[in-house]
Amino acid sequence: RANTARFKTKSSKLENRRCSSSALAQAVSLDPPSDVVASLLCLDPAAASRPDCQGRLPLHIACSAGASVDVVHLLLLEGSSVESEDRSEGKFNVALVADNDGRIPLHYAAEYATGSYGDTLDVVAVLCAACPAAVYTKDRWGETPVDVVSQMERAAFLDSDVDGDEGMAEAARAVRRILHQMPLMRSGRRESRIARRAKATAIEQHRCKLRCIAFKQ
């Protein structure tokens, strides 16, 4: 029987807020607009790399709470320690940061996308494209994001209350296709997409900083 003890509960957002290390961490648990996250990053850029009491970065929390793909891009950009101007694929090392359970953001994103019937498939795709190695990363139970999704798919079929949850099973198959396909994409194509989005995000952050400076004056 599938082990679902680690899957999200209805109280997960409340637990995120109780354990949060910053205003940014609390905000991303509530699926905020990307401009709110950009403003918080402007005021406290280091918050993107500050873990909470469970070792989770704001990126982990955002992925577990169903944050938008734009918010995830902001956290990837600000949370990754990149010395050069190159923000292309493979440079987003924050995507491989593990929490106290050895889980990386992709574990949470894949789990949320499955449980929400595919609402955040684009977040899963972005994390895979930003850091393909994340697909093969195991948590402390020895499970990759693919394993997590497979367990949820089995649990959906075993749900006796609704005689199987076909919607969740279909979402699990969609997530698994992304996890299997993204690392096999041509690196140039993947890199160009991530670089373009990163450039747009950097411009938005710069505008936010200018607004912050004007506000302080």
Side-chain angles (χ1 to χ4, degrees):
R1 186 176 175 85
N3 176 14
T4 60
R6 299 187 302 285
F7 296 164
K8 296 192 298 91
T9 65
K10 292 181 179 179
S11 62
S12 61
K13 289 189 177 182
L14 178 59
E15 292 170 359
N16 283 337
R17 292 196 291 274
R18 287 175 176 170
C19 191
S20 295
S21 59
S22 65
L24 175 65
Q26 292 184 34
V28 297
S29 71
L30 300 172
D31 189 16
S34 59
D35 58 342
V36 171
V37 175
S39 297
L40 290 171
L41 285 169
C42 174
L43 295 172
D44 185 10
S49 303
R50 190 178 302 138
D52 65 11
C53 63
Q54 296 181 21
R56 299 172 305 176
L57 299 178
L59 181 59
H60 292 85
I61 297 171
C63 292
S64 71
S68 71
V69 68
D70 291 327
V71 167
V72 170
H73 267 290
L74 283 168
L75 296 173
L76 276 170
L77 188 66
E78 192 66 44
S80 295
S81 54
V82 182
E83 294 182 1
S84 69
E85 293 298 323
D86 183 9
R87 301 281 182 168
S88 59
E89 178 272 326
K91 301 296 184 181
F92 297 93
N93 53 305
V94 69
L96 286 177
V97 174
D99 63 12
N100 294 351
D101 287 328
R103 304 188 100 199
I104 60 173
L106 186 58
H107 281 100
Y108 291 104
E111 181 179 281
Y112 187 93
T114 302
S116 65
Y117 304 99
D119 279 353
T120 54
L121 289 174
D122 50 354
V123 170
V124 175
V126 163
L127 290 171
C128 290
C131 190
V135 175
Y136 310 107
T137 301
K138 297 181 178 181
D139 60 19
R140 73 182 180 93
W141 294 280
E143 295 175 348
T144 66
V146 176
D147 296 325
V148 171
V149 172
S150 296
Q151 285 198 30
M152 293 187 73
E153 183 178 8
R154 289 194 294 272
F157 283 118
L158 292 171
D159 192 336
S160 58
D161 294 335
V162 294
D163 193 25
D165 191 334
E166 182 57 33
M168 183 180 292
E170 179 59 33
R173 289 190 287 271
V175 173
R176 198 165 60 245
R177 282 194 295 271
I178 293 173
L179 294 174
H180 284 309
Q181 292 173 3
M182 292 301 293
L184 301 178
M185 291 176 62
R186 290 184 293 111
S187 60
R189 179 179 170 189
R190 179 174 57 232
E191 178 174 329
S192 63
R193 184 173 65 253
I194 292 296
R196 286 196 301 270
R197 180 61 74 97
K199 181 178 179 180
T201 303
I203 292 173
E204 177 59 30
Q205 284 184 308
H206 177 67
R207 290 173 178 169
C208 173
K209 289 179 180 179
L210 291 178
R211 289 196 295 269
C212 287
I213 293 172
F215 178 76
K216 290 177 181 178
Q217 291 176 344

